Amino acid sequence: MPAVIKNAEEVGKMRIAGRLASEVLDYIAPHVRPGISTGELNDLCHAYMVGVQGTVPAPLNYAPPGYKPFPKSICTSVNHQVCHGIPGDRVLKPGDVLNIDITVIKDGFHGDSSRMYYVGEPGIQARRLVETTYQCMWRGIRMVRPGAQLGDIGEAIQRHAEAAGYSVVREFCGHGIGRKFHEEPQVLHYGRAGTGMRLEPGMTFTIEPMINAGKSAIRELADGWTIVTKDHSLSAQWEHTVLVTEGGYEVLTVSDGAPPPPAASV
Ligand code: MF3
Ligand code: CO
Ligand code: CO
């Protein structure tokens, strides 16, 4: 299946949805502190999305084939949890690191972004993994331009992760996004430059590398959603939704609180 090309009007709606997703991540940041539970973070985000933004939280009751409906409005993945963590009674403690993944629907279009948060002061290994994963996402984003290929993105990410001694999760990938939460193409976070679909202006997709401090193997918990590292090593993830433009790329999931891109040298 080919990728969906968005026209100018659709791109405008994607920009709005992207900004709103990023603004939820801004909103929740000061609440991420020792003593709060992931369920409380979910409830705060849900109220903000529905009550303040007028957005629909896309994860709530999302049920791709083979999955039971996701029961909450955001994903919270703590420490060795890789992705799709279900918010609940778990109380955050100093030194935890977590990913919060927000997908909103506004005016029929999706915006999808996630960030890492430190609970109190992180250990140096956690900080290095989180920062390297952020660089991996941006190395992927910076490959985006018309005529580039998906494998260019995957190789850039994989090289940077493995040079740091880390591994790339293979089972989950970035994805086209628009009227649908997940659409063509699949954006792998590993691979070979010069392979895969060629990018064209108007494509919108996510880049969301999951990088493990240890081995790449993962396992799904009995809740049917939460993914953890098999070796219990720490895992990190960052996600942006990007648009392919005539001149390169535009990051759609931006807001005042979004961390700045890293220096071009890293
Ligand atoms: N937001 C995730 C992604 O980046 C998907 C979460 S699906 C859910 O693709 F059901 F767990 F919310
Ligand atoms: Co995504
Ligand atoms: Co996401």
Side-chain angles (χ1 to χ4, degrees):
M1 276 239 297
V4 181
I5 304 296
K6 278 77 180 179
N7 65 30
E9 184 187 335
E10 293 165 332
V11 165
K13 292 180 178 182
M14 288 294 291
R15 253 187 217 112
I16 291 168
R19 176 169 298 276
L20 288 163
S22 192
E23 285 177 351
V24 180
L25 294 168
D26 295 352
Y27 159 76
I28 203 61
H31 296 282
V32 180
R33 299 169 61 94
I36 198 165
S37 70
T38 55
E40 289 169 321
L41 293 173
N42 174 80
D43 296 349
L44 286 165
C45 289
H46 180 93
Y48 186 76
M49 288 187 268
V50 173
V52 177
Q53 294 186 324
T55 57
V56 174
L60 187 59
N61 296 315
Y62 183 60
Y67 286 83
K68 48 188 172 182
F70 192 80
K72 295 288 179 177
S73 297
I74 70 173
C75 298
T76 53
S77 305
V78 185
N79 296 340
H80 78 293
Q81 296 177 349
V82 173
C83 65
H84 303 166
I86 301 175
D89 293 336
R90 182 178 186 146
V91 173
L92 299 178
K93 56 180 201 321
D96 284 343
V97 293
L98 84 153
N99 175 277
I100 300 181
D101 193 337
I102 300 291
T103 311
V104 303
I105 310 170
K106 183 73 167 185
D107 204 7
F109 286 83
H110 290 75
D112 188 6
S113 187
S114 80
R115 297 183 199 158
M116 296 299 295
Y117 297 83
Y118 299 128
V119 183
E121 277 303 306
I124 56 169
Q125 300 188 75
R127 187 184 290 275
R128 179 174 176 268
L129 176 67
V130 166
E131 290 179 356
T132 302
T133 304
Y134 189 63
Q135 293 161 6
C136 284
M137 175 184 68
W138 273 99
R139 287 206 173 210
I141 291 171
R142 286 177 169 147
M143 301 308 295
V144 174
R145 59 176 173 75
Q149 290 176 268
L150 286 176
D152 303 350
I153 298 171
E155 179 171 316
I157 292 169
Q158 182 181 9
R159 273 186 185 283
H160 193 61
E162 292 179 356
Y166 299 145
S167 62
V168 177
V169 172
R170 308 292 172 122
E171 290 83 352
F172 299 92
C173 55
H175 50 92
I177 181 168
R179 288 192 184 277
K180 288 168 69 182
F181 193 165
H182 296 101
E183 61 186 35
E184 294 294 313
Q186 293 194 35
V187 182
L188 304 185
H189 303 116
Y190 61 92
R192 278 190 4 260
T195 66
M197 183 184 286
R198 273 190 201 281
L199 306 185
E200 293 173 40
M203 288 182 181
T204 51
F205 53 82
T206 71
I207 298 178
E208 50 178 302
M210 285 142 274
I211 306 297
N212 298 346
K215 295 202 166 83
S216 67
I218 54 142
R219 147 177 107 72
E220 186 181 287
L221 296 189
D223 64 20
W225 277 101
T226 309
I227 304 297
V228 299
T229 56
K230 230 178 202 169
D231 63 7
H232 274 239
S233 66
L234 218 52
S235 188
Q237 178 179 30
W238 292 83
E239 176 177 24
H240 269 314
T241 299
V242 301
L243 164 72
V244 184
T245 63
E246 299 289 341
Y249 64 84
E250 177 183 334
V251 176
L252 299 178
T253 36
V254 288
S255 58
D256 290 345
S265 52
V266 294

